[in-house]
Every structure is written in C-alpha cells, then in structure tokens.
Amino acid sequence: MANVTLKDVYKSFGKNEVIHGINCEIKAGEFVAILGPSGCGKSTALRMIAGLEVITKGEISIDGKIVNELEPADRDIAMVFQNYALYPHMTVFKNMAYGLKIRKMPKDEIKKRVHNAAEILELTEFLDRKPRQLSGGQRQRVAMGRCIVREPKVFLFDEPLSNLDAKLRVQMRLELRNLHENLGITSVYVTHDQVEAMTLGDRLIILEDGHVQQIGSPLEVYERPATQFVAGFIGSPAMNFFDAQLSNNGLAVELPGSDTLPLSNSGLPDFGGQKVNLGIRPEHFKLTDEGAGTMRIKVDHVETLGADTLVHGHVGENGTFLTIRLPDIHHITKGTILPLAVPSEKLHLFDKESENRIGD
Ligand SMILES: Nc1ncnc2c1ncn2[C@@H]1O[C@H](COP(=O)(O)OP(=O)(O)OP(=O)(O)O)[C@@H](O)[C@H]1O
Ligand SMILES: [Mg+2]
C-alpha cells in the first residue's frame, strides 16, 4: 500500500500538449477513479504513473519516492488493461504464475500466491483450464489474479470492464469493490463510464481535454460540481442549463419568459443583474400547484420507464428544452403545461465566461 502523488505533471506528444498540469495526491489504500470523455488524457495519465510514458514536466512519486526515472518494472505497480491478453496455450494457473516465474520466485511461493489469489477471485476450480474454456468475466478475473499475485503497492486499471456485457460489468464492478475492500491496495481506475467511477471510487478526478476539472468524492461532484463541464458530465439524464439573470441582489434568479426562482443566497456576493448559467438536475423538479417560485414547462414528449417518468419539454414559447424526471408512473399528455418547483438549494449557478461555479 502506497500513496501516489502527481505534481504539476505535463505531457506532450511532439508539439501537442495533451496533459496540462495535473496535481493530485492519492492516499495509501484509496481507490481513485479518473473520469472523462474519450481523448481527454485518462490513459496517458495512467501510463505516466505506470512509467509506460515519459512525463514532459513535473514529478510523480510513489510511496514518497520520486519515480520519474524509474522503469515500469521497478515501480512496484500492476496494471490491468481492457484487452487483458491471457496466454491462450497456458492454464489459468500458469497464466497467473508467469510473471512470478520470470522473476525467478521460488516455486513454493508462486504456488502459495496463485492459490491464494484464486481463492480470493473464486477461480480455484478453474486453475487447470485454458482461457478459451472460461467466460469473459472469469477471464477478466484471471487478468486481475495475475496482478494480485505480484502483491504490488499500486493497482492501475485502464477501462478493464469495457469488453464485458452490461450485466457482467455490473457484477464485476461489485467484485472489484469487494476486492479492494479486502486487499486495500491503492488503486487508480480509468473509465469514461460515470456510474462505474461513482460506484467504485472513493474519489474522482474529472478530466476534460487534459485539464483537471474537479477532484472530489462521488457525492461532492454530484452535489457541488465545480464547473459547468462537471455539472453536465455527472448525472444521467444530464443537468438542464438555462440562460438566467440574478435579481434581488442575488436572492432570486430570473429565467427568460419571467419565471423567477428564489435562491438561498449562500455564499453569493452582491450579484444583482448579472447574467449566469443556471443548472437544474432532471430529478430535482417537483410537480406543484400554480404559484410563486414555480416554473411552467410545456410538455413535448413523455417516456414512461416504470420506476420513473422522463418528461421532455420546454420553458416559455420556443424556450429552452429540458428534461425532468418524476418518480413513479405519470400519465401526462403532450402539450400540457406543468407547474414545477425546484428547492433553492438544488439550483446551480455558473459564470458565463469562466463556467466556474458561483456561490456554495
Ligand atoms: N502515442 C501518442 N502519440 C501522439 N498522440 C497521442 C499518443 N497517445 C495519445 N495521444 C493523444 O493524447 C490525447 C489523450 O489520449 P488518451 O489515450 O490519454 O485519451 P483517453 O482519455 O484515454 O481516451 P479513451 O477514453 O478514448 O481511451 C488524445 O488526443 C490522443 O490522440
Ligand atoms: Mg484510454
């Protein structure tokens, strides 16, 4: 178990800078997920920790020791990839033992470690099988086993579940979290799947285009997204955004078409008149009676999903489109005008220029 620290880490490929200064401290035993859209630099960040990419600038330390110059093999890390490439001609046992054998570990110790890992991963009965005689999930577990037997200080995962079908992914996600709770090995997990990141990670590092947008626990990034990018990226269906204007010295926010929503004003400076972007999550609208502080949406389309109902509509004549999510089943017809309330603490405000969060 070791901590991993990245200090002002930059990476360029030729003239093209793709990581623009990452700073983060991953605590010993922590499970951190790096989350972001395709091409934002997740794999590059992970490969720099692994030593598979040379960093252009900055410092990476593992267990308090700067590893910039260390070869991957000397960093005491183990990495699981999306394509886990087991040796097809070797049994599960041999696949798991291979890395230790080339390190010339004594046979007894190899046997002990493989059996131990197989037990943890419930692979004991498959040790004599070849990979082609296993299911996708079992193969992925063998790949995990190969890493566990090394007893590394740090686990690095690059989208290890993305080749599995949806159901197996959910199952493996739970297994991974259990495994982490049992072994307690510091883990860095790269994914573009927000549910995977939110359920696995103690903390998330959210990357956009090589910039860190926010580092925080799953609830922190959901409840207090630091930027409009994070707000729109975390949560499904995605947060709705509106052009709005602060009024009453920051005590209310006005939507075009004259709906006015009261604000709790916590942490808001005197912002009277400022134009802002207002964000509201689909699940934070409540059906209400006509009255003060409500929004009215005109319904365009309804999706009844059983557990909840998604209502797509717009505010004002030809106004902003939005999606709301109501628990349970609702029969709502197209064209209905729905009065809605949103608790003031569920309103998110973002600066129009910087797109940074305004207020608490
Ligand atoms: N070896 C390389 N040479 C040049 N450019 C590279 C190289 N590897 C990655 N890049 C570029 O760096 C950027 C980040 O790539 P990276 O693979 O880290 O993204 P990612 O977040 O892992 O994406 P994905 O979710 O699609 O795997 C991309 O623009 C990519 O084209
Ligand atoms: Mg990648």
mmCIF file of all heavy atoms in Angstrom, residues 337-360:
data_model
loop_
_atom_site.group_PDB
_atom_site.id
_atom_site.type_symbol
_atom_site.label_atom_id
_atom_site.label_comp_id
_atom_site.label_asym_id
_atom_site.label_seq_id
_atom_site.Cartn_x
_atom_site.Cartn_y
_atom_site.Cartn_z
ATOM 1 N N ILE A 337 -49.311 21.992 -19.765
ATOM 2 C CA ILE A 337 -48.408 22.921 -19.082
ATOM 3 C C ILE A 337 -48.249 22.434 -17.644
ATOM 4 O O ILE A 337 -49.232 22.360 -16.908
ATOM 5 C CB ILE A 337 -48.976 24.364 -19.064
ATOM 6 C CG1 ILE A 337 -49.384 24.822 -20.466
ATOM 7 C CG2 ILE A 337 -47.993 25.321 -18.395
ATOM 8 C CD1 ILE A 337 -48.254 25.267 -21.350
ATOM 9 N N LEU A 338 -47.043 22.066 -17.268
ATOM 10 C CA LEU A 338 -46.808 21.536 -15.917
ATOM 11 C C LEU A 338 -46.190 22.609 -15.033
ATOM 12 O O LEU A 338 -45.153 23.167 -15.367
ATOM 13 C CB LEU A 338 -45.814 20.368 -15.956
ATOM 14 C CG LEU A 338 -46.226 19.016 -16.504
ATOM 15 C CD1 LEU A 338 -45.059 18.047 -16.352
ATOM 16 C CD2 LEU A 338 -47.445 18.482 -15.771
ATOM 17 N N PRO A 339 -46.809 22.902 -13.878
ATOM 18 C CA PRO A 339 -46.149 23.797 -12.928
ATOM 19 C C PRO A 339 -45.177 22.994 -12.062
ATOM 20 O O PRO A 339 -45.524 21.930 -11.553
ATOM 21 C CB PRO A 339 -47.306 24.341 -12.084
ATOM 22 C CG PRO A 339 -48.433 23.395 -12.280
ATOM 23 C CD PRO A 339 -48.146 22.482 -13.418
ATOM 24 N N LEU A 340 -43.962 23.510 -11.934
ATOM 25 C CA LEU A 340 -42.920 22.774 -11.222
ATOM 26 C C LEU A 340 -42.230 23.664 -10.201
ATOM 27 O O LEU A 340 -42.098 24.869 -10.414
ATOM 28 C CB LEU A 340 -41.851 22.300 -12.219
ATOM 29 C CG LEU A 340 -42.317 21.328 -13.296
ATOM 30 C CD1 LEU A 340 -41.273 21.261 -14.399
ATOM 31 C CD2 LEU A 340 -42.581 19.949 -12.715
ATOM 32 N N ALA A 341 -41.774 23.039 -9.123
ATOM 33 C CA ALA A 341 -40.978 23.771 -8.138
ATOM 34 C C ALA A 341 -39.598 23.127 -8.065
ATOM 35 O O ALA A 341 -39.457 21.934 -8.334
ATOM 36 C CB ALA A 341 -41.652 23.702 -6.773
ATOM 37 N N VAL A 342 -38.607 23.918 -7.727
ATOM 38 C CA VAL A 342 -37.258 23.386 -7.501
ATOM 39 C C VAL A 342 -36.753 23.977 -6.185
ATOM 40 O O VAL A 342 -36.736 25.194 -6.029
ATOM 41 C CB VAL A 342 -36.283 23.792 -8.625
ATOM 42 C CG1 VAL A 342 -34.961 23.067 -8.463
ATOM 43 C CG2 VAL A 342 -36.879 23.517 -9.993
ATOM 44 N N PRO A 343 -36.367 23.132 -5.217
ATOM 45 C CA PRO A 343 -35.846 23.668 -3.959
ATOM 46 C C PRO A 343 -34.624 24.556 -4.240
ATOM 47 O O PRO A 343 -33.803 24.213 -5.087
ATOM 48 C CB PRO A 343 -35.425 22.415 -3.176
ATOM 49 C CG PRO A 343 -36.115 21.276 -3.849
ATOM 50 C CD PRO A 343 -36.330 21.674 -5.264
ATOM 51 N N SER A 344 -34.547 25.690 -3.540
ATOM 52 C CA SER A 344 -33.497 26.662 -3.881
ATOM 53 C C SER A 344 -32.091 26.073 -3.726
ATOM 54 O O SER A 344 -31.183 26.447 -4.452
ATOM 55 C CB SER A 344 -33.648 27.923 -3.045
ATOM 56 O OG SER A 344 -33.608 27.598 -1.686
ATOM 57 N N GLU A 345 -31.925 25.112 -2.806
ATOM 58 C CA GLU A 345 -30.573 24.544 -2.624
ATOM 59 C C GLU A 345 -30.186 23.591 -3.762
ATOM 60 O O GLU A 345 -29.058 23.131 -3.833
ATOM 61 C CB GLU A 345 -30.423 23.874 -1.250
ATOM 62 C CG GLU A 345 -31.196 22.587 -1.041
ATOM 63 C CD GLU A 345 -32.665 22.797 -0.649
ATOM 64 O OE1 GLU A 345 -33.150 23.937 -0.703
ATOM 65 O OE2 GLU A 345 -33.323 21.790 -0.298
ATOM 66 N N LYS A 346 -31.125 23.324 -4.654
ATOM 67 C CA LYS A 346 -30.813 22.443 -5.794
ATOM 68 C C LYS A 346 -30.520 23.228 -7.076
ATOM 69 O O LYS A 346 -30.445 22.660 -8.162
ATOM 70 C CB LYS A 346 -31.983 21.482 -6.076
ATOM 71 C CG LYS A 346 -32.387 20.623 -4.904
ATOM 72 C CD LYS A 346 -31.354 19.584 -4.566
ATOM 73 C CE LYS A 346 -31.904 18.595 -3.557
ATOM 74 N NZ LYS A 346 -30.829 17.852 -2.886
ATOM 75 N N LEU A 347 -30.412 24.532 -6.951
ATOM 76 C CA LEU A 347 -30.090 25.352 -8.133
ATOM 77 C C LEU A 347 -28.574 25.539 -8.196
ATOM 78 O O LEU A 347 -27.926 25.811 -7.192
ATOM 79 C CB LEU A 347 -30.771 26.722 -8.021
ATOM 80 C CG LEU A 347 -32.302 26.703 -7.923
ATOM 81 C CD1 LEU A 347 -32.822 28.122 -7.688
ATOM 82 C CD2 LEU A 347 -32.931 26.114 -9.178
ATOM 83 N N HIS A 348 -28.009 25.361 -9.377
ATOM 84 C CA HIS A 348 -26.563 25.525 -9.557
ATOM 85 C C HIS A 348 -26.336 26.721 -10.475
ATOM 86 O O HIS A 348 -26.962 26.812 -11.533
ATOM 87 C CB HIS A 348 -25.956 24.278 -10.208
ATOM 88 C CG HIS A 348 -26.207 23.021 -9.434
ATOM 89 N ND1 HIS A 348 -25.295 22.505 -8.537
ATOM 90 C CD2 HIS A 348 -27.268 22.180 -9.414
ATOM 91 C CE1 HIS A 348 -25.786 21.396 -8.000
ATOM 92 N NE2 HIS A 348 -26.985 21.174 -8.515
ATOM 93 N N LEU A 349 -25.451 27.600 -10.071
ATOM 94 C CA LEU A 349 -25.162 28.775 -10.895
ATOM 95 C C LEU A 349 -23.723 28.719 -11.393
ATOM 96 O O LEU A 349 -22.815 28.354 -10.640
ATOM 97 C CB LEU A 349 -25.347 30.056 -10.067
ATOM 98 C CG LEU A 349 -26.744 30.300 -9.483
ATOM 99 C CD1 LEU A 349 -26.736 31.588 -8.661
ATOM 100 C CD2 LEU A 349 -27.797 30.379 -10.583
ATOM 101 N N PHE A 350 -23.539 29.078 -12.661
ATOM 102 C CA PHE A 350 -22.198 29.079 -13.246
ATOM 103 C C PHE A 350 -21.938 30.393 -13.959
ATOM 104 O O PHE A 350 -22.845 30.963 -14.581
ATOM 105 C CB PHE A 350 -22.050 27.902 -14.229
ATOM 106 C CG PHE A 350 -22.263 26.577 -13.571
ATOM 107 C CD1 PHE A 350 -23.502 25.950 -13.640
ATOM 108 C CD2 PHE A 350 -21.251 25.979 -12.841
ATOM 109 C CE1 PHE A 350 -23.719 24.739 -13.002
ATOM 110 C CE2 PHE A 350 -21.457 24.771 -12.200
ATOM 111 C CZ PHE A 350 -22.693 24.147 -12.281
ATOM 112 N N ASP A 351 -20.696 30.854 -13.857
ATOM 113 C CA ASP A 351 -20.274 32.069 -14.523
ATOM 114 C C ASP A 351 -20.313 31.863 -16.031
ATOM 115 O O ASP A 351 -19.873 30.829 -16.529
ATOM 116 C CB ASP A 351 -18.856 32.425 -14.067
ATOM 117 C CG ASP A 351 -18.423 33.773 -14.602
ATOM 118 O OD1 ASP A 351 -17.859 33.805 -15.722
ATOM 119 O OD2 ASP A 351 -18.654 34.758 -13.902
ATOM 120 N N LYS A 352 -20.837 32.842 -16.748
ATOM 121 C CA LYS A 352 -20.980 32.684 -18.202
ATOM 122 C C LYS A 352 -19.637 32.620 -18.911
ATOM 123 O O LYS A 352 -19.501 31.924 -19.920
ATOM 124 C CB LYS A 352 -21.816 33.832 -18.773
ATOM 125 C CG LYS A 352 -23.302 33.587 -18.658
ATOM 126 C CD LYS A 352 -24.046 34.265 -19.792
ATOM 127 C CE LYS A 352 -25.492 33.858 -19.848
ATOM 128 N NZ LYS A 352 -25.709 32.500 -20.344
ATOM 129 N N GLU A 353 -18.655 33.359 -18.373
ATOM 130 C CA GLU A 353 -17.339 33.406 -19.027
ATOM 131 C C GLU A 353 -16.507 32.176 -18.663
ATOM 132 O O GLU A 353 -16.145 31.371 -19.507
ATOM 133 C CB GLU A 353 -16.575 34.654 -18.557
ATOM 134 C CG GLU A 353 -17.072 35.951 -19.168
ATOM 135 C CD GLU A 353 -16.641 36.082 -20.618
ATOM 136 O OE1 GLU A 353 -15.444 35.864 -20.883
ATOM 137 O OE2 GLU A 353 -17.507 36.389 -21.466
ATOM 138 N N SER A 354 -16.228 32.053 -17.359
ATOM 139 C CA SER A 354 -15.286 31.004 -16.925
ATOM 140 C C SER A 354 -15.966 29.642 -16.793
ATOM 141 O O SER A 354 -15.296 28.619 -16.758
ATOM 142 C CB SER A 354 -14.680 31.378 -15.570
ATOM 143 O OG SER A 354 -15.704 31.379 -14.583
ATOM 144 N N GLU A 355 -17.290 29.646 -16.715
ATOM 145 C CA GLU A 355 -18.084 28.434 -16.461
ATOM 146 C C GLU A 355 -17.769 27.806 -15.109
ATOM 147 O O GLU A 355 -18.037 26.635 -14.865
ATOM 148 C CB GLU A 355 -17.937 27.413 -17.596
ATOM 149 C CG GLU A 355 -18.382 28.006 -18.930
ATOM 150 C CD GLU A 355 -18.754 26.970 -19.973
ATOM 151 O OE1 GLU A 355 -18.325 25.813 -19.833
ATOM 152 O OE2 GLU A 355 -19.492 27.333 -20.912
ATOM 153 N N ASN A 356 -17.167 28.593 -14.196
ATOM 154 C CA ASN A 356 -16.937 28.105 -12.840
ATOM 155 C C ASN A 356 -18.193 28.305 -11.994
ATOM 156 O O ASN A 356 -18.999 29.199 -12.267
ATOM 157 C CB ASN A 356 -15.777 28.866 -12.175
ATOM 158 C CG ASN A 356 -14.453 28.440 -12.771
ATOM 159 O OD1 ASN A 356 -14.307 27.314 -13.257
ATOM 160 N ND2 ASN A 356 -13.492 29.347 -12.759
ATOM 161 N N ARG A 357 -18.315 27.486 -10.952
ATOM 162 C CA ARG A 357 -19.456 27.571 -10.054
ATOM 163 C C ARG A 357 -19.470 28.915 -9.337
ATOM 164 O O ARG A 357 -18.419 29.421 -8.931
ATOM 165 C CB ARG A 357 -19.335 26.432 -9.039
ATOM 166 C CG ARG A 357 -20.471 26.322 -8.094
ATOM 167 C CD ARG A 357 -20.263 25.203 -7.084
ATOM 168 N NE ARG A 357 -21.488 25.028 -6.325
ATOM 169 C CZ ARG A 357 -22.506 24.311 -6.768
ATOM 170 N NH1 ARG A 357 -22.422 23.646 -7.900
ATOM 171 N NH2 ARG A 357 -23.611 24.202 -6.050
ATOM 172 N N ILE A 358 -20.665 29.471 -9.141
ATOM 173 C CA ILE A 358 -20.817 30.687 -8.367
ATOM 174 C C ILE A 358 -21.535 30.323 -7.067
ATOM 175 O O ILE A 358 -22.542 29.623 -7.099
ATOM 176 C CB ILE A 358 -21.674 31.744 -9.114
ATOM 177 C CG1 ILE A 358 -21.103 32.033 -10.502
ATOM 178 C CG2 ILE A 358 -21.779 33.024 -8.304
ATOM 179 C CD1 ILE A 358 -22.009 32.946 -11.342
ATOM 180 N N GLY A 359 -21.026 30.788 -5.951
ATOM 181 C CA GLY A 359 -21.684 30.546 -4.656
ATOM 182 C C GLY A 359 -21.449 29.128 -4.157
ATOM 183 O O GLY A 359 -20.669 28.375 -4.725
ATOM 184 N N ASP A 360 -22.142 28.775 -3.079
ATOM 185 C CA ASP A 360 -21.920 27.464 -2.435
ATOM 186 C C ASP A 360 -22.646 26.339 -3.157
ATOM 187 O O ASP A 360 -23.603 26.545 -3.827
ATOM 188 C CB ASP A 360 -22.400 27.499 -0.984
ATOM 189 C CG ASP A 360 -21.396 28.257 -0.130
ATOM 190 O OD1 ASP A 360 -20.252 28.418 -0.587
ATOM 191 O OD2 ASP A 360 -21.771 28.695 0.965
#
